[in-house]
Amino acid sequence: MMGQSLVGEEPKSYRILVVDDEVPNLELLKAQLTRAGYIVEMAQSGHEAMEKVQQQVPDLILLDVVMPKVDGFEVCSLLKSDVQTRLVPVVMITGLEDKQYKIRSLEVGADDFLKKPFDLYELLARVRSLLRIKALHDRLEKQNALLHNVLTRYMAEDLTHHILHDPEKYLKLGGESRVVTVLFADIRGFTRFSERYAPTEVVEVLNLIFSELTKVVFEFDGTFDKYLGDAIMAFFGAPVSHDDDAFRAVRAAIAMQRVFQKIIEQDVHVGIRDLGLGIGINTGEAIVGNVGSEKVMDYTVIGDTANVASRLQEVAVKGQIILGQVTYEAVKEHVEAVEQLQQYIEGRDDPIIYYDLKKLVNAAEFG
């Protein structure tokens, strides 16, 4: 009943916004909810309620239905259509008897409905229940945000979204056959560099180079695979595929060479002048998925396609980009490349044809 006080409540730090055009109702609800330990804000109109929400989003809103100009239905609809407030619990309160008001309240997104006069203990029970649900949701959102931030340190944004959208698929062992383009980039001269300089200097330079090269992979929607000593492995075509994955990989390789040259020109370390980047790219069918154990797994590419890309990278000298035949066939309209003599590479019985990439055709078109 309206005159009862809410006693026996544990203090809360939740912020509740009470919206009603009648001051006595506002004052009564504020007094009782404050006594129960809640922080209470008041608004006498729908317009004022929206202004207060914009200033600070409350944890829950008690919203009168019948108000002049902007009524409770409109306020609730606005709140539920805004990504910042759509999950804030809204309890609609009205003295109207018509059942249609309750139905409409639920249709515009209200989380609960109370009819005046109501028992304040019942109101408090409903408030508690909704705030418990919101607290669980807020905790889940924080955990998801933390997981998202952790994942984006290791992989592209698209891959992170895919994993969080369907973790059952992407966080289990196993793989699938996909056509992918694999890229290996190795820092030439780094072994000698690491022998000549202190470990702290070596790690500092390596981190600088890897940081910039990884950004390039993400820029062209590639998937970072792993660091291999002084080399980086990436692939294009999984889990997100595009019609031009091979060309994306080629453009990424060109951008990597450009970025690497800028690092050298910055002269961040005297020994960096002797370094260079050799890149190998190959396209084909491979198994893509999680390999390892349930505790530790690696989203990677396995198969001949990746092995050949690695071998092509070994062939490349400083500043060179080597393309496998399938990759070249996929991008030949956009590049100028020189066919090399057939060569036997480790792990294959048959020789392969590869191409020395010289430049993009109409480079200005692609940036």
Side-chain angles (χ1 to χ4, degrees):
M1 294 181 296
M2 295 296 289
Q4 289 180 309
S5 62
L6 300 174
V7 294
E9 288 295 307
E10 296 180 1
K12 306 288 183 181
S13 59
Y14 293 115
R15 184 177 298 273
I16 297 177
L17 174 62
V18 180
V19 187
D20 198 311
D21 61 326
E22 297 186 11
V23 176
N25 290 341
L26 285 176
E27 294 292 349
L28 176 61
L29 284 170
K30 180 177 181 179
Q32 299 292 354
L33 290 169
T34 301
R35 189 173 180 182
Y38 296 103
I39 301 170
V40 181
E41 295 282 344
M42 297 189 300
Q44 289 185 246
S45 68
H47 180 71
E48 184 183 1
M50 295 306 299
E51 287 185 339
K52 286 185 176 292
V53 168
Q54 289 175 2
Q55 294 170 3
Q56 184 174 4
V57 177
D59 295 299
L60 183 141
I61 299 174
L62 298 178
L63 182 60
D64 188 29
V65 170
V66 180
M67 293 184 293
K69 295 184 179 179
V70 182
D71 64 19
F73 296 129
E74 187 175 350
V75 172
C76 185
S77 182
L78 290 170
L79 291 168
K80 295 302 181 178
S81 63
D82 189 332
V83 67
Q84 299 296 324
T85 56
R86 64 186 180 188
L87 295 176
V88 175
V90 176
V91 180
M92 302 288 279
I93 301 175
T94 183
L96 300 172
E97 293 286 349
D98 195 336
K99 186 178 180 180
Q100 290 301 315
Y101 284 98
K102 181 176 182 179
I103 294 174
R104 189 178 175 192
S105 295
L106 298 175
E107 287 178 341
V108 296
D111 299 272
D112 208 340
F113 182 94
L114 277 176
K115 181 181 170 300
K116 299 177 184 177
F118 53 82
D119 187 291
L120 286 170
Y121 285 99
E122 179 185 358
L123 171 64
L124 185 59
R126 291 172 185 261
V127 166
R128 276 177 162 176
S129 177
L130 290 171
L131 287 175
R132 277 197 299 268
I133 294 172
K134 184 178 185 297
L136 290 173
H137 179 270
D138 289 347
R139 181 178 178 183
L140 182 60
E141 285 291 295
K142 288 180 180 179
Q143 290 174 340
N144 283 340
L146 177 60
L147 180 58
H148 180 275
N149 290 336
V150 170
L151 288 175
T152 50
R153 291 176 179 266
Y154 299 96
M155 58 191 67
E157 190 81 15
D158 281 349
L159 179 55
T160 297
H161 286 311
H162 270 69
I163 289 176
L164 293 179
H165 180 71
D166 192 357
E168 289 295 324
K169 177 179 180 180
Y170 292 106
L171 294 180
K172 68 178 182 179
L173 292 174
E176 59 181 335
S177 180
R178 299 281 289 267
V179 174
V180 294
T181 298
V182 183
L183 179 153
F184 280 87
D186 181 78
I187 305 173
R188 297 289 184 251
F190 198 79
T191 299
R192 185 178 180 187
F193 175 85
S194 61
E195 291 172 348
R196 295 171 59 187
Y197 296 98
T200 53
E201 295 177 89
V202 172
V203 171
E204 183 179 350
V205 170
L206 193 61
N207 286 343
L208 170 63
I209 294 172
F210 278 166
S211 174
E212 296 304 314
L213 296 186
T214 304
K215 290 177 185 177
V216 174
V217 173
F218 294 165
E219 179 184 347
F220 290 91
D221 292 330
T223 298
F224 168 78
D225 192 315
K226 62 176 69 70
Y227 299 121
L228 300 162
D230 54 5
I232 183 173
M233 176 183 176
F235 54 92
F236 299 74
V240 181
S241 62
H242 306 85
D243 293 336
D244 61 345
D245 282 315
F247 191 39
R248 288 171 184 265
V250 169
R251 293 172 62 196
I254 294 171
M256 283 181 169
Q257 293 287 14
R258 184 168 59 245
V259 167
F260 195 91
Q261 188 58 38
K262 286 183 178 180
I263 294 174
I264 292 176
E265 292 171 357
Q266 289 172 1
D267 205 22
V268 296
H269 191 288
V270 63
I272 205 170
R273 302 170 194 164
D274 300 324
L275 302 179
L277 198 63
I279 300 176
I281 304 175
N282 191 45
T283 302
E285 193 166 318
I287 301 299
V288 183
N290 290 310
V291 177
S293 68
E294 292 294 342
K295 292 293 185 182
V296 180
M297 60 182 68
D298 180 21
Y299 187 75
T300 189
V301 174
I302 296 177
D304 187 60
T305 298
N307 295 337
V308 171
S310 177
R311 299 307 178 210
L312 293 178
Q313 169 263 124
E314 293 174 359
V315 173
V317 298
K318 293 180 182 179
Q320 192 175 30
I321 300 171
I322 298 294
L323 308 181
Q325 188 167 12
V326 177
T327 303
Y328 172 73
E329 291 296 331
V331 304
K332 61 183 179 181
E333 295 181 358
H334 305 299
V335 303
E336 181 180 308
V338 177
E339 181 179 337
Q340 304 296 300
L341 296 175
Q342 293 189 11
Q343 178 172 328
Y344 286 91
I345 64 173
E346 185 180 347
R348 289 180 65 92
D349 296 329
D350 300 323
I352 65 169
I353 298 174
Y354 61 91
Y355 296 81
D356 179 8
L357 178 66
K358 296 303 182 182
K359 64 179 181 179
L360 288 179
V361 177
N362 298 323
E365 178 183 349
F366 307 108

